[in-house]
Amino acid sequence: MSQQGYVAAPPYSQAQPGMGGYQGGFGAGPAQPLYGHYGGQPQAFAAPPTGVMKPPVSTAAGMPPPPASSQYNQNIQQNGAHPQRYPAPPASSAYGQPLQSPYNSVASQAPPPAQQLTNQMSAMNLGNYAPGPMLNPPPPTQQPFQTAPPPAMGQPPMPPGPQSPLMSPQMSPPQSPPASMAMGGPAMAGPAMAGPPMAGPPMAGPPMAGPPMAGMGRPFPGPPPTGPGGFQQAGPGAASPLGYQQQAGPFGGPMSGPQPGMPGGFPGAPGGLAGPPQKKLDADSIPSTTQVIEEDQGKQGGQVYSTNIRGQVPPLVTTDFSVQDQGNASPRFMRCTTYTLPCTADLAKQCQVPLAAIVKPFASLPKNETPLYIVNHGDTGPIRCNRCKAYMCPYMQFIDGGRRYQCGFCTCVNEVPVQYFQHLDHMGRRVDFYERPELSLGSYEFAATLEYCKNNKAPNPPAYIFMIDVSYNNIKSGLVKLICEELKTLLENLPREDGMESSAIKVGFVTYNKVLHFYNVKSALAQPQMMVVSDTAEMFVPLLDGFLVNYQDSRAVIFNLLDQIPDMFADTSESETVFAPVIQAGVEAFKAAECSGKLFIFQSSMPTAEAPGKLKNRDDKKLVNTEKEKTLFQPQKGVYEQLSKDCVAQGCCVDLFIFPSQYVDLATMGDVPSHTGGSVYKYNNFQVETDGEHFLRDLRKDVQKNIGFDAVMRVRTSTGFRATDFFGAIHMNNTTDVEMAAVDCDKAVTVELKHDDTLSEETGAHMQCALLYTTISGQRRLRIHNLSLNCSSQLMELFKSCETDSLINFFSKSAYRAILNQPLKNVREILVNQTAHMLACYRKNCASPSAASQLILPSAMKVLPVYMNSLMKSGPLVGSTELSTDERAHQRLSVMAMGVEDTQLLLYPRLVPLHNMDTGSEALPAPVRCSEEGLTDSGMYLLENGHSMFLWLGQASPPDLVQNIFNVPSLGHLQGNMCSLPELDNPLSKKVRSIINELLEKRPNSMKLQIVRQRDKPEMLFRQFLVEDKSLHGGASYMDFLTYVHREIRQLLT
């Protein structure tokens, strides 16, 4: 297999001061040379740990997971590499050229070349980068900076023995380590992970500071770092299911501030990073996400992707292609972390690639693709297997002349109902194969019969209730008036079934502050009537008839009401609001009307009025980077938990539009939306002039999008594996039924898969995702998506068919769930460990032999490290006191419901140069790498990640460019708070505006355009999005992370 060698030039530049940015987390490197569990014996890759005790909390399967199992584990896939979508170079691209001394060790000058050579291997594979003296390479079985041998899992850790060359944490290390520490030398090719790429375990933030990198031997007493596997779900003291113990010291224990004298242990510590400047490794020699995306677009863009081949890897989510359904669901509905499952659980454990599918049951299809067919079997309902209840699909095999069929999931042989009988042709296929969508297509719908309805009676069409907070803040900002004006036009565009003249959705209106006002807008009335409920503890709806109405019938009364609301409350001084009773009122209204629906709540502040669900300020920056940080993300229990259950039971979805000017405890306020298939939209310090249009775009998309209500989803699999865990805006009452009060075209559920037996290469693996829901016109339907995957006992096949974008979606969701239960540092460590384990397994089992110093990545995962690093630097995981708690909670909640394309863009924003584009061409200019190095002083760039959008202007932008876009003579004349571009009549202005509008149209959320000039203060915000660079809040650059991961991989392999 050819490896492409990514040859790196001479040494990596030194760690810049303040590297260390990685907060506590980048992982404790495996403290063992081996692969496998952290405290296991030096066996081969994944031997199970020797002393695993049965952890108190059992994992999904009920037993302590093997080394790599459990939550974050098997499934944990890696974030980011564009899986296979790469022209596939042989499956490995070798990162390898002589990279010399990458990161010369902290603070040391580079030793003379000869010495480097000798030291190079020793230093390197000692993945240590400790500021202490380094020993000569220890004997192979020892750990690199060994402290005591790491305890086998479950045994009490021993304190580090005298052999540990590291100094005790209290001593300051010498400022410049002896030369033996220089890593590198030609043999060390690849980002050879040599020197300390970062001070601080990579992700370590300020708090961590300890020994620069966590892979060092364990400089602190305390249990070994957690293993590769899953995020534990147990509470802090308990051994988690994995049996990982809590760490002390740098890995999660109570280490607070930087150790005195640790060079550069935290961002901004110039520490010992002196030394002559070194030649910088050329960034172009490491894998580039933009190049991967461009190559896949070049290879598969504009083509038709047919789904008739089992286990084929689809084009990347970023590629523009069309799909022809020929028996497997379109990748728009289902994507997987790998399209070839390992045949056995042992193999899955060994490779550590998480096995998961990301299902977006309502994904929007482009105009040139056929909408799903609806199959109606009349009163008999859909044909299903008697044993496993799977629905008729292309994987059912007809036998016995067509009188019976064998289920493709559980192999049970079923009789074909008389009315469904059809003869077989000479190939054994039914003669009506192509006339029946359920036999020939991967996705289709069945009309459901009454037995699929609540109480066996047909549902009513859903309703939308608009609930407007009319307290002082919302009135003063002009928001209430803005909403009322917009609703007059928006209600004309309520979603409707194809072919129907008007929408069947009913509408209702509530305003509230400390009390709730319900409005009777019955069409017979001349004026709307208001009814007030002031007892918020016992919420009820004061009127049935006239509250939920058909918009077209009551249009005149509704217009009247919308005109009156802003005036009615114009002089209010009430600033307190309630929140839980508002949701409760919505649920009660839907109960009374026997329908499902959605609440659109427009809230200004934290609910502080005396009522159920009252919240208090619990924001505490002192908790950041401590064991208790997780409490900032946990919702307040009690009222809201029960409300979520009530909402799901009634099919009541909650969308929250919040306009805060300070902390609002979004972790709690967003809890109901995030369990009912809803969304949270947040507009800080809202001003109508600058944010009005941005908010209205979100509201329009939200009201008009394609959606199903009162949904239950079940994922069935063929024998040998099963769905074990689900992530999304969902509610789970049991282990198999995914309940969603509503599911729209942007919501995705990530499903983790585990083996429960051996899979066969011959038959492959089948999955069927069935979603039972109510349409916007009140019909009950079943939407079915089927997907077949390959199975292989060759790891090479698995790595070849991985999909980085799906892996990163899985890792993001599992990490964001894990931070509710464990310290961020552990979560970051697990991510790094898992990345290193996956890549080390590939290197060991699939790559052709080459120097250990080469970093070799599977072609389908070559950009996984960029995405992983970006995930670890994301708000929820970064542990910085500069980020607002609400902002972090908001991102955590948003990501949990995202599909693959949304997480891909969020973690690797698009940076598009606009200054030199061809205004005549239809094509969008090619994006450049998301790094400061991609920017030129005379350029203009658009950056967007699906949530934020910036137009960046270099300080040397030519005056004619500025004139053509902004109609001002120079950058100095630009207004500070512009949020849209003036409409000018010149080709450049038209092209730039059309690009921006197209993106706003295409993305699920609206984005507020922020215009930033190079070197202005607002540019700091823009730079957080350059994910290949070092982060302001702590977090390594891509190059440093790669170097670090390479070192971890080598440590695993030695």
PDB file of all heavy atoms in Angstrom, residues 92-113:
ATOM      1  N   SER A  92      -3.648   4.614   3.613  1.00  0.00           N
ATOM      2  CA  SER A  92      -3.028   5.358   4.624  1.00  0.00           C
ATOM      3  C   SER A  92      -2.295   6.471   4.044  1.00  0.00           C
ATOM      4  O   SER A  92      -1.745   6.325   3.020  1.00  0.00           O
ATOM      5  CB  SER A  92      -2.054   4.538   5.295  1.00  0.00           C
ATOM      6  OG  SER A  92      -1.137   4.205   4.407  1.00  0.00           O
ATOM      7  N   SER A  93      -2.337   7.604   4.693  1.00  0.00           N
ATOM      8  CA  SER A  93      -1.483   8.556   4.122  1.00  0.00           C
ATOM      9  C   SER A  93      -0.409   8.705   5.112  1.00  0.00           C
ATOM     10  O   SER A  93      -0.684   8.885   6.255  1.00  0.00           O
ATOM     11  CB  SER A  93      -2.179   9.826   3.948  1.00  0.00           C
ATOM     12  OG  SER A  93      -2.866  10.135   5.004  1.00  0.00           O
ATOM     13  N   ALA A  94       0.800   8.628   4.740  1.00  0.00           N
ATOM     14  CA  ALA A  94       1.777   8.616   5.756  1.00  0.00           C
ATOM     15  C   ALA A  94       2.122   9.973   6.080  1.00  0.00           C
ATOM     16  O   ALA A  94       2.506  10.684   5.237  1.00  0.00           O
ATOM     17  CB  ALA A  94       2.992   8.021   5.222  1.00  0.00           C
ATOM     18  N   TYR A  95       2.121  10.340   7.280  1.00  0.00           N
ATOM     19  CA  TYR A  95       2.540  11.592   7.541  1.00  0.00           C
ATOM     20  C   TYR A  95       3.876  11.436   7.658  1.00  0.00           C
ATOM     21  O   TYR A  95       4.259  11.292   8.707  1.00  0.00           O
ATOM     22  CB  TYR A  95       2.213  11.853   8.878  1.00  0.00           C
ATOM     23  CG  TYR A  95       1.230  12.543   8.895  1.00  0.00           C
ATOM     24  CD1 TYR A  95       0.264  12.399   7.997  1.00  0.00           C
ATOM     25  CD2 TYR A  95       1.159  13.558   9.714  1.00  0.00           C
ATOM     26  CE1 TYR A  95      -0.716  13.143   8.052  1.00  0.00           C
ATOM     27  CE2 TYR A  95       0.123  14.245   9.672  1.00  0.00           C
ATOM     28  CZ  TYR A  95      -0.754  13.996   8.848  1.00  0.00           C
ATOM     29  OH  TYR A  95      -1.704  14.707   8.869  1.00  0.00           O
ATOM     30  N   GLY A  96       4.852  11.333   6.774  1.00  0.00           N
ATOM     31  CA  GLY A  96       5.976  11.120   7.419  1.00  0.00           C
ATOM     32  C   GLY A  96       7.068  11.765   7.020  1.00  0.00           C
ATOM     33  O   GLY A  96       7.765  11.298   6.600  1.00  0.00           O
ATOM     34  N   GLN A  97       7.602  12.915   7.080  1.00  0.00           N
ATOM     35  CA  GLN A  97       8.923  13.110   6.694  1.00  0.00           C
ATOM     36  C   GLN A  97       9.686  13.521   7.786  1.00  0.00           C
ATOM     37  O   GLN A  97       9.152  13.727   8.787  1.00  0.00           O
ATOM     38  CB  GLN A  97       8.874  14.232   5.858  1.00  0.00           C
ATOM     39  CG  GLN A  97       8.354  13.541   4.939  1.00  0.00           C
ATOM     40  CD  GLN A  97       7.969  13.784   3.786  1.00  0.00           C
ATOM     41  OE1 GLN A  97       7.647  14.156   3.707  1.00  0.00           O
ATOM     42  NE2 GLN A  97       7.912  13.509   2.800  1.00  0.00           N
ATOM     43  N   PRO A  98      10.828  13.687   7.545  1.00  0.00           N
ATOM     44  CA  PRO A  98      11.649  13.794   8.673  1.00  0.00           C
ATOM     45  C   PRO A  98      11.222  15.037   9.269  1.00  0.00           C
ATOM     46  O   PRO A  98      11.424  16.047   8.691  1.00  0.00           O
ATOM     47  CB  PRO A  98      13.008  14.010   8.120  1.00  0.00           C
ATOM     48  CG  PRO A  98      12.863  14.033   6.671  1.00  0.00           C
ATOM     49  CD  PRO A  98      11.487  13.770   6.319  1.00  0.00           C
ATOM     50  N   LEU A  99      10.613  14.991  10.339  1.00  0.00           N
ATOM     51  CA  LEU A  99      10.192  16.154  10.885  1.00  0.00           C
ATOM     52  C   LEU A  99      11.119  16.446  11.848  1.00  0.00           C
ATOM     53  O   LEU A  99      11.135  15.847  12.742  1.00  0.00           O
ATOM     54  CB  LEU A  99       9.143  15.652  11.622  1.00  0.00           C
ATOM     55  CG  LEU A  99       8.478  16.677  11.986  1.00  0.00           C
ATOM     56  CD1 LEU A  99       7.694  16.365  12.338  1.00  0.00           C
ATOM     57  CD2 LEU A  99       8.606  17.868  12.117  1.00  0.00           C
ATOM     58  N   GLN A 100      12.014  17.114  11.994  1.00  0.00           N
ATOM     59  CA  GLN A 100      12.943  16.958  13.034  1.00  0.00           C
ATOM     60  C   GLN A 100      12.434  17.394  14.289  1.00  0.00           C
ATOM     61  O   GLN A 100      11.357  17.377  14.510  1.00  0.00           O
ATOM     62  CB  GLN A 100      13.982  17.824  12.724  1.00  0.00           C
ATOM     63  CG  GLN A 100      14.353  17.117  11.598  1.00  0.00           C
ATOM     64  CD  GLN A 100      15.512  17.694  11.072  1.00  0.00           C
ATOM     65  OE1 GLN A 100      15.532  18.602  10.825  1.00  0.00           O
ATOM     66  NE2 GLN A 100      16.483  17.127  10.847  1.00  0.00           N
ATOM     67  N   SER A 101      13.196  17.969  15.025  1.00  0.00           N
ATOM     68  CA  SER A 101      12.843  17.985  16.347  1.00  0.00           C
ATOM     69  C   SER A 101      11.638  18.769  16.519  1.00  0.00           C
ATOM     70  O   SER A 101      11.719  19.926  16.690  1.00  0.00           O
ATOM     71  CB  SER A 101      13.927  18.630  17.034  1.00  0.00           C
ATOM     72  OG  SER A 101      13.614  19.777  17.523  1.00  0.00           O
ATOM     73  N   PRO A 102      10.566  18.206  16.420  1.00  0.00           N
ATOM     74  CA  PRO A 102       9.448  19.020  16.527  1.00  0.00           C
ATOM     75  C   PRO A 102       9.507  19.500  17.841  1.00  0.00           C
ATOM     76  O   PRO A 102      10.155  18.944  18.617  1.00  0.00           O
ATOM     77  CB  PRO A 102       8.370  18.097  16.453  1.00  0.00           C
ATOM     78  CG  PRO A 102       8.972  16.962  15.911  1.00  0.00           C
ATOM     79  CD  PRO A 102      10.397  17.051  15.971  1.00  0.00           C
ATOM     80  N   TYR A 103       8.816  20.383  18.243  1.00  0.00           N
ATOM     81  CA  TYR A 103       8.855  21.071  19.374  1.00  0.00           C
ATOM     82  C   TYR A 103      10.005  20.853  20.102  1.00  0.00           C
ATOM     83  O   TYR A 103       9.997  20.042  20.922  1.00  0.00           O
ATOM     84  CB  TYR A 103       7.868  20.533  20.229  1.00  0.00           C
ATOM     85  CG  TYR A 103       6.916  21.253  19.807  1.00  0.00           C
ATOM     86  CD1 TYR A 103       6.125  20.842  18.855  1.00  0.00           C
ATOM     87  CD2 TYR A 103       6.829  22.548  20.170  1.00  0.00           C
ATOM     88  CE1 TYR A 103       5.229  21.599  18.386  1.00  0.00           C
ATOM     89  CE2 TYR A 103       5.902  23.226  19.609  1.00  0.00           C
ATOM     90  CZ  TYR A 103       5.163  22.704  18.762  1.00  0.00           C
ATOM     91  OH  TYR A 103       4.308  23.394  18.284  1.00  0.00           O
ATOM     92  N   ASN A 104      11.082  21.549  19.956  1.00  0.00           N
ATOM     93  CA  ASN A 104      12.199  21.255  20.753  1.00  0.00           C
ATOM     94  C   ASN A 104      11.735  21.409  22.124  1.00  0.00           C
ATOM     95  O   ASN A 104      10.988  22.266  22.380  1.00  0.00           O
ATOM     96  CB  ASN A 104      13.205  22.283  20.531  1.00  0.00           C
ATOM     97  CG  ASN A 104      14.202  21.513  19.875  1.00  0.00           C
ATOM     98  OD1 ASN A 104      14.047  20.361  19.859  1.00  0.00           O
ATOM     99  ND2 ASN A 104      15.169  22.062  19.348  1.00  0.00           N
ATOM    100  N   SER A 105      12.318  20.694  22.983  1.00  0.00           N
ATOM    101  CA  SER A 105      11.642  20.588  24.201  1.00  0.00           C
ATOM    102  C   SER A 105      11.480  21.921  24.788  1.00  0.00           C
ATOM    103  O   SER A 105      12.162  22.825  24.441  1.00  0.00           O
ATOM    104  CB  SER A 105      12.474  19.869  25.112  1.00  0.00           C
ATOM    105  OG  SER A 105      13.510  20.708  25.354  1.00  0.00           O
ATOM    106  N   VAL A 106      10.617  21.967  25.767  1.00  0.00           N
ATOM    107  CA  VAL A 106      10.320  23.239  26.229  1.00  0.00           C
ATOM    108  C   VAL A 106      11.560  23.795  26.670  1.00  0.00           C
ATOM    109  O   VAL A 106      12.268  23.199  27.438  1.00  0.00           O
ATOM    110  CB  VAL A 106       9.540  23.158  27.483  1.00  0.00           C
ATOM    111  CG1 VAL A 106       9.192  24.543  27.839  1.00  0.00           C
ATOM    112  CG2 VAL A 106       8.421  22.301  27.204  1.00  0.00           C
ATOM    113  N   ALA A 107      11.816  24.992  26.339  1.00  0.00           N
ATOM    114  CA  ALA A 107      12.907  25.658  26.868  1.00  0.00           C
ATOM    115  C   ALA A 107      14.219  25.099  26.549  1.00  0.00           C
ATOM    116  O   ALA A 107      15.166  25.513  27.115  1.00  0.00           O
ATOM    117  CB  ALA A 107      12.826  25.632  28.315  1.00  0.00           C
ATOM    118  N   SER A 108      14.402  24.124  25.711  1.00  0.00           N
ATOM    119  CA  SER A 108      15.796  23.800  25.586  1.00  0.00           C
ATOM    120  C   SER A 108      16.261  24.276  24.267  1.00  0.00           C
ATOM    121  O   SER A 108      15.505  24.313  23.335  1.00  0.00           O
ATOM    122  CB  SER A 108      15.961  22.332  25.619  1.00  0.00           C
ATOM    123  OG  SER A 108      15.462  21.845  24.453  1.00  0.00           O
ATOM    124  N   GLN A 109      17.527  24.603  24.173  1.00  0.00           N
ATOM    125  CA  GLN A 109      17.989  24.935  22.859  1.00  0.00           C
ATOM    126  C   GLN A 109      18.181  23.631  22.174  1.00  0.00           C
ATOM    127  O   GLN A 109      18.402  22.637  22.808  1.00  0.00           O
ATOM    128  CB  GLN A 109      19.345  25.562  22.909  1.00  0.00           C
ATOM    129  CG  GLN A 109      19.245  27.045  23.036  1.00  0.00           C
ATOM    130  CD  GLN A 109      18.933  27.438  24.414  1.00  0.00           C
ATOM    131  OE1 GLN A 109      18.739  26.611  25.216  1.00  0.00           O
ATOM    132  NE2 GLN A 109      18.862  28.703  24.644  1.00  0.00           N
ATOM    133  N   ALA A 110      18.169  23.639  20.866  1.00  0.00           N
ATOM    134  CA  ALA A 110      18.297  22.367  20.233  1.00  0.00           C
ATOM    135  C   ALA A 110      19.684  21.844  20.470  1.00  0.00           C
ATOM    136  O   ALA A 110      20.628  22.569  20.346  1.00  0.00           O
ATOM    137  CB  ALA A 110      18.115  22.531  18.770  1.00  0.00           C
ATOM    138  N   PRO A 111      19.814  20.595  20.783  1.00  0.00           N
ATOM    139  CA  PRO A 111      21.130  20.036  21.026  1.00  0.00           C
ATOM    140  C   PRO A 111      21.804  19.874  19.699  1.00  0.00           C
ATOM    141  O   PRO A 111      21.169  19.938  18.683  1.00  0.00           O
ATOM    142  CB  PRO A 111      20.833  18.686  21.595  1.00  0.00           C
ATOM    143  CG  PRO A 111      19.439  18.447  21.265  1.00  0.00           C
ATOM    144  CD  PRO A 111      18.778  19.713  20.961  1.00  0.00           C
ATOM    145  N   PRO A 112      23.098  19.623  19.757  1.00  0.00           N
ATOM    146  CA  PRO A 112      23.826  19.452  18.509  1.00  0.00           C
ATOM    147  C   PRO A 112      23.267  18.264  17.787  1.00  0.00           C
ATOM    148  O   PRO A 112      22.820  17.323  18.417  1.00  0.00           O
ATOM    149  CB  PRO A 112      25.225  19.160  18.961  1.00  0.00           C
ATOM    150  CG  PRO A 112      25.141  18.951  20.436  1.00  0.00           C
ATOM    151  CD  PRO A 112      23.851  19.457  20.932  1.00  0.00           C
ATOM    152  N   PRO A 113      23.316  18.311  16.458  1.00  0.00           N
ATOM    153  CA  PRO A 113      22.671  17.276  15.681  1.00  0.00           C
ATOM    154  C   PRO A 113      23.049  15.875  16.055  1.00  0.00           C
ATOM    155  O   PRO A 113      22.231  15.016  16.169  1.00  0.00           O
ATOM    156  CB  PRO A 113      23.080  17.570  14.267  1.00  0.00           C
ATOM    157  CG  PRO A 113      23.869  18.850  14.325  1.00  0.00           C
ATOM    158  CD  PRO A 113      24.002  19.303  15.724  1.00  0.00           C
TER     159      PRO A 113
END
